[in-house]
Amino acid sequence: MELNTVNYKHSPGGSCASVAWSGIFKHHGYNLSEADIFGLGSGLYFGYCAVGASKLFDISLTSSSIIDDLMINTGVHGKLIQHHNNSDCLNLILKSIDNGNPVALLFNPYYCEGLIQITPIETQKYLPAHWIVITGYNSNHKTLISYDNRQFNPIEISFENFMKGRNTGFFDQNPRNFLYNVLFFDKVYPMETSIKLAIQKTCINFLDVEKILSFYVGSYGFEKCVRQIKQWNLMLSPDQLQQLLQKIYISSTGAGGIKGAYRNLFYKFLENSASVLNKPEIYEVANLFKESAYNWNIFVQKISEYQHEYNELNWGNNSELSNLLQQIFDLEISGFTSLRKITQ
Amino acid sequence: MNYSNNIAYCISEYLNCRYNIRFDERICYLLTCSLGLQMFFKDSALTPSKEVGINSINECYIESFNPLALETFSTNIRAVLRIDHNDDLNDIKWIAYDFENFNKMKTLVLVSSNIFNNKNIIGNHPVYGLVHIQDSVNSESDLGEFKTKSINIDFHKNSSKKINISHFFNQWSVSGTDIFNANRYVLIPPKFRDFNIAIPYLLKNALVNQFLIITEGGKNRQIGSQLFYNLKNDLLRNNSADNLLKHINLFIYSFNKSDILGVLDMDRCLAANCFEYLYQLNLIKSTEIIDTLKLSSEVWVNIRGFIKTNKNISISEMVDVYDKLYHSEILFEKHLKNILSAWN
């Protein structure tokens, strides 16, 4: 057969991981939105990297273990396997399609045509490895049919580019041949318990963890960032500062697809959680994150303005970015402190 | 009686050696959520490729194990987990590098149970280990020289083995599409703001997760009290000599499997020790679960002795075995639920 596709319903969105796995879960009968997947994967995060000696700074706003957490929190049996042999991996994916199952795949963003088309050239280097969903293949054209989170229509990827996109790119862009072997979708836990587990883990990240790898995390990271952001212009040259601001813009907006630094997704997840858990007090907390998302939008707009023109007045003790970040921190720490108590 | 568990010991020692972080083995065991007694296929490794059913007990064995133990542990404590398996030679060179450069640092690996050369055990089962090069090596050596070296693997406090390094160059096909090979793991724990404040939250999360694993998920779950309920019913429905033999062999194989690491009671005594530790830390108020698990340990030791030494076990005796095990597990599950309800 020339063309083989699964019956897959794609809903575009801002977060590539959450959109991809929302599609997979929906395919298996679990109506989880992008926001649900994000929340259940304990995706909300704040990390601040500051290695002054190497002039290495960064802000990270989503958890890197969102899919592992999603699997553990929902009870779906999913094991991350490295498949080094490209042909074997391709055959696995084709077999999955033949069995009627789509496959979520992490890929070098440079081989994701949909993403590259909408990302300015100068910021493409900041794109991390990208999630897409393979929903079919054309054996005559030797192409895979895929969906990208920001696009409505499917895109074809050649088998050749599939091979190239599996283990190339610098560290953050390199998917390193990983593929999740997901087997037991019928082992999904009751939503109530999954939500509590996921929220508690997000709270642990924010309230209890100080550092993960080179990132200062959660409240500790926020405090450090609020202090240091005032002096980024002193610690970095204008060029380095511009590059840092570009990088932060890409990561905080999901390459332009996300508003509110993922806090909008978390707010929607909390609204749904309030209903599932029958705890109306969570609506109040959700509103804190809605407000936080609004402030993050302003923060990101400022980042975008500052990256185009260096102005010393934007930095120092009266730094607007620092003040905004402080306001965001106040909202989020209040939110997480309440969430911990409510979902105990 | 062996009070040291394979994965819990390896994680505890690994974190202690590498990061000078003391995670008590008992805490590690609870954080891996490995308390559930579950039925697994004999010929299966990292992930089962099909659901275990009561009608396939001649292909199965019972064990207290979590196939996602390492992933569960890392999400529970918010650690970073990476599988690093570039190729066999690089894996071994990494192990040699650790040995040469980090004061004989041990590396966390996953190997196959076939290194025990136990003819009673078929298939390949995952066994965690801490390895370091036994003979002095030069990490710049080529493959030929490495293959002549030996490696020491520690499995738990009371079990280690010296094997030829060529074991790491084997690949094992298992049922389904997984290729099982010796994997090397990198586990990086976070730094907590105050670990003593964080640990109750980490443990409560883990115990909630554990409770879910045992009591929820899957149409035909073969775990915990439900497993023994199903097994008993199968025997009552089909009380032929053939079926009785299958049930007896299920236990004989299970005991042979657990023998390779010296586990005589499905780790029930270890589990009792873990909850006793929580009681000493004042995290749980009741000792009922400790008593239940100690009793369960005795039950397993007695059943082991009974089945291994009796040539003519009757249907009613086997049903009695299932009654005892069902009773033990249902009590354990009840006490675990009570602990979670009472947790502050």
Side-chain angles (χ1 to χ4, degrees):
Chain A
M1 188 185 288
E2 183 181 288
L3 182 68
N4 191 6
T5 58
V6 305
N7 187 11
Y8 180 82
K9 194 168 180 296
H10 171 63
S11 300
S15 161
C16 62
S18 307
V19 164
W21 285 95
S22 167
I24 301 290
F25 270 72
K26 280 178 182 166
H27 178 83
H28 289 277
Y30 297 97
N31 190 20
L32 297 177
S33 67
E34 178 191 2
D36 292 329
I37 295 290
F38 183 77
L40 289 170
S42 304
L44 194 73
Y45 180 84
F46 181 84
Y48 173 57
C49 175
V51 185
S54 323
K55 309 280 187 196
L56 184 65
F57 295 87
D58 201 0
I59 289 177
S60 175
L61 298 165
T62 55
S63 164
S64 59
S65 60
I66 185 171
I67 306 306
D68 286 316
D69 275 310
L70 177 70
M71 302 287 179
I72 300 287
N73 292 343
T74 57
V76 171
H77 191 117
K79 188 95 175 165
L80 191 64
I81 307 272
Q82 270 191 319
H83 294 277
H84 293 280
N85 186 300
N86 278 325
S87 298
D88 285 350
C89 186
L90 179 62
N91 287 336
L92 251 181
I93 291 171
L94 299 185
K95 192 174 163 186
S96 186
I97 301 296
D98 290 342
N99 289 336
N101 292 317
V103 179
L105 187 65
L106 204 54
F107 223 44
N108 180 337
Y110 279 94
Y111 293 97
C112 301
E113 184 195 315
L115 179 65
I116 287 297
Q117 273 171 3
I118 54 178
T119 306
I121 292 177
E122 65 274 13
T123 56
Q124 285 175 4
K125 61 187 170 190
Y126 302 122
L127 293 171
H130 185 58
W131 282 99
I132 58 174
V133 179
I134 307 294
T135 61
Y137 65 90
N138 187 318
S139 50
N140 281 5
H141 295 171
K142 295 198 185 326
T143 56
L144 296 169
I145 316 296
S146 72
Y147 279 98
D148 198 301
N149 67 299
R150 301 272 298 278
Q151 311 282 307
F152 281 95
N153 296 319
I155 292 168
E156 284 192 71
I157 301 175
S158 67
F159 285 179
E160 189 188 341
N161 278 345
F162 164 75
M163 309 280 190
K164 288 177 184 173
R166 290 200 68 229
N167 190 15
T168 55
F170 65 81
F171 185 77
D172 278 349
Q173 292 185 335
N174 187 335
R176 295 188 297 283
N177 296 319
F178 285 130
L179 192 71
Y180 277 93
N181 276 24
V182 180
L183 295 167
F184 297 138
F185 265 100
D186 73 334
K187 281 200 196 301
V188 175
Y189 296 148
M191 191 49 56
E192 193 181 301
T193 345
S194 291
I195 287 173
K196 283 184 185 173
L197 254 183
I199 288 176
Q200 283 295 323
K201 283 182 183 174
T202 315
C203 290
I204 288 171
N205 262 353
F206 197 91
L207 299 170
D208 301 310
V209 174
E210 182 176 296
K211 203 171 182 209
I212 297 177
L213 296 176
S214 53
F215 281 86
Y216 298 99
V217 175
S219 57
Y220 190 86
F222 257 115
E223 285 160 357
K224 207 167 176 73
C225 192
V226 163
R227 281 196 311 273
Q228 290 193 355
I229 202 170
K230 298 172 192 176
Q231 295 174 335
W232 278 357
N233 65 318
L234 299 177
M235 294 192 268
L236 298 166
S237 68
D239 270 348
Q240 288 168 335
L241 185 56
Q242 188 203 24
Q243 284 173 30
L244 171 61
L245 296 177
Q246 278 179 340
K247 189 165 56 166
I248 292 171
Y249 180 83
I250 287 291
S251 63
S252 58
T253 63
I258 282 280
K259 298 277 181 229
Y262 300 89
R263 271 65 182 155
N264 271 327
L265 284 179
F266 192 61
Y267 145 70
K268 287 176 192 165
F269 164 69
L270 288 181
E271 283 213 319
N272 188 34
S273 301
S275 165
V276 171
L277 299 180
N278 196 22
K279 287 189 183 291
E281 57 269 45
I282 294 183
Y283 287 116
E284 265 182 58
V285 180
N287 282 332
L288 289 176
F289 285 95
K290 189 176 181 184
E291 202 178 330
S292 168
Y294 176 78
N295 283 310
W296 272 111
N297 271 342
I298 301 174
F299 181 89
V300 166
Q301 272 165 24
K302 292 282 169 207
I303 290 275
S304 182
E305 282 166 27
Y306 291 7
Q307 70 179 278
H308 291 115
E309 194 183 326
Y310 175 75
N311 185 343
E312 210 172 270
L313 296 174
N314 292 333
W315 306 96
N317 286 332
N318 295 320
S319 157
E320 234 182 310
L321 283 181
S322 176
N323 291 339
L324 273 167
L325 210 55
Q326 180 68 57
Q327 284 170 32
I328 290 167
F329 171 53
D330 291 339
L331 288 164
E332 295 194 2
I333 195 163
S334 173
F336 282 116
T337 308
S338 300
L339 274 177
R340 170 164 272 180
K341 285 191 195 124
I342 296 167
T343 57
Q344 197 85 323
Chain B
M1 186 81 70
N2 173 38
Y3 294 139
S4 185
N5 172 266
N6 175 230
I7 179 140
Y9 169 81
C10 289
I11 290 172
S12 176
E13 273 299 291
Y14 178 85
L15 293 176
N16 187 26
C17 288
R18 285 220 175 232
Y19 302 102
N20 205 24
I21 292 173
R22 295 228 164 251
F23 257 95
D24 188 281
E25 190 184 328
R26 291 165 290 185
I27 299 291
C28 288
Y29 187 56
L30 291 175
L31 291 171
T32 62
C33 298
S34 301
L35 291 175
L37 278 162
Q38 198 171 340
M39 205 153 78
F40 297 98
F41 281 111
K42 287 174 190 171
D43 192 14
S44 173
L46 298 175
T47 52
S49 58
K50 55 180 179 172
E51 279 262 30
V52 174
I54 289 296
N55 55 356
S56 50
I57 65 167
N58 59 326
E59 298 173 87
C60 295
Y61 67 97
I62 296 169
E63 193 173 23
S64 173
F65 182 69
N66 177 4
L68 294 175
L70 198 51
E71 291 83 350
T72 305
F73 176 85
S74 65
T75 64
N76 275 333
I77 71 155
R78 319 312 297 151
V80 171
L81 176 69
R82 291 281 178 265
I83 304 165
D84 270 318
H85 173 63
N86 297 316
D87 60 53
D88 308 306
L89 179 58
N90 276 330
D91 260 353
I92 302 306
K93 283 190 171 180
W94 265 110
I95 295 169
Y97 183 79
D98 287 345
F99 180 75
E100 285 178 355
N101 295 286
F102 295 107
N103 197 23
K104 299 171 177 35
M105 200 73 78
K106 290 183 183 178
T107 309
L108 181 63
V109 295
L110 188 73
V111 296
S112 167
S113 57
N114 72 17
I115 65 170
F116 293 101
N117 291 320
N118 187 324
K119 58 182 186 303
N120 292 321
I121 309 299
I122 66 169
N124 296 293
H125 303 277
V127 181
Y128 292 92
L130 290 171
V131 295
H132 58 92
I133 300 284
Q134 189 76 3
D135 305 313
S136 63
V137 292
N138 177 349
S139 55
E140 302 303 308
S141 303
D142 65 24
L143 178 60
E145 196 185 327
F146 268 118
K147 277 192 163 172
T148 63
K149 303 296 180 192
S150 60
I151 201 155
N152 202 63
I153 294 188
D154 296 330
F155 300 109
H156 60 65
K157 207 157 50 184
N158 309 311
S159 175
S160 63
K161 199 174 173 59
K162 185 172 164 176
I163 62 165
N164 194 290
I165 221 169
S166 59
H167 172 86
F168 282 84
F169 297 95
N170 293 330
Q171 281 192 320
W172 304 282
S173 294
V174 296
S175 53
T177 54
D178 299 326
I179 302 292
F180 179 28
N181 195 348
N183 281 323
R184 179 172 60 86
Y185 289 99
V186 173
L187 179 67
I188 305 168
K191 183 167 182 250
F192 290 98
R193 294 193 82 152
D194 185 331
F195 183 67
N196 291 327
I197 292 177
I199 190 68
Y201 295 107
L202 305 184
L203 283 166
K204 170 135 189 237
N205 248 16
L207 290 177
V208 166
N209 209 350
Q210 179 69 84
F211 186 73
L212 285 173
I213 288 172
I214 294 172
T215 59
E216 294 289 350
K219 301 182 191 67
N220 296 305
R221 60 187 178 92
Q222 311 303 344
I223 186 168
S225 60
Q226 188 70 40
L227 166 63
F228 300 110
Y229 179 84
N230 291 343
L231 284 168
K232 176 185 165 180
N233 276 351
D234 180 73
L235 195 55
L236 290 174
R237 266 197 306 268
N238 176 1
N239 57 8
S240 67
D242 261 351
N243 199 30
L244 172 62
L245 188 60
K246 281 181 189 171
H247 281 258
I248 292 168
N249 285 339
L250 169 70
F251 278 82
I252 289 176
Y253 189 93
S254 303
F255 295 139
N256 285 339
K257 167 82 173 47
S258 55
D259 273 349
I260 59 179
L261 287 175
V263 178
L264 305 178
D265 67 346
M266 296 293 171
D267 280 326
R268 261 29 202 159
C269 201
L270 169 64
N273 284 351
C274 293
F275 284 98
E276 197 154 30
Y277 189 51
L278 295 192
Y279 181 74
Q280 287 162 7
L281 294 175
N282 211 26
L283 290 172
I284 63 173
K285 304 286 183 272
S286 163
T287 57
E288 284 177 313
I289 197 168
I290 302 166
D291 298 332
T292 297
L293 285 165
K294 280 182 176 169
L295 206 59
S296 176
S297 170
E298 285 175 23
V299 165
W300 272 106
V301 169
N302 290 339
I303 287 170
R304 182 192 161 86
F306 172 69
I307 289 181
K308 280 198 149 193
T309 56
N310 261 291
K311 298 282 181 210
N312 297 305
I313 299 172
S314 67
I315 295 266
S316 63
E317 282 169 329
M318 203 61 212
V319 166
D320 188 49
V321 162
Y322 285 134
D323 277 337
K324 287 190 171 94
L325 292 175
Y326 172 77
H327 182 71
S328 294
E329 289 307 303
I330 204 99
L331 266 181
F332 163 60
E333 289 157 23
K334 176 187 153 196
H335 293 316
L336 183 57
K337 188 175 181 183
N338 290 344
I339 282 172
L340 290 170
S341 305
W343 196 288
N344 290 328

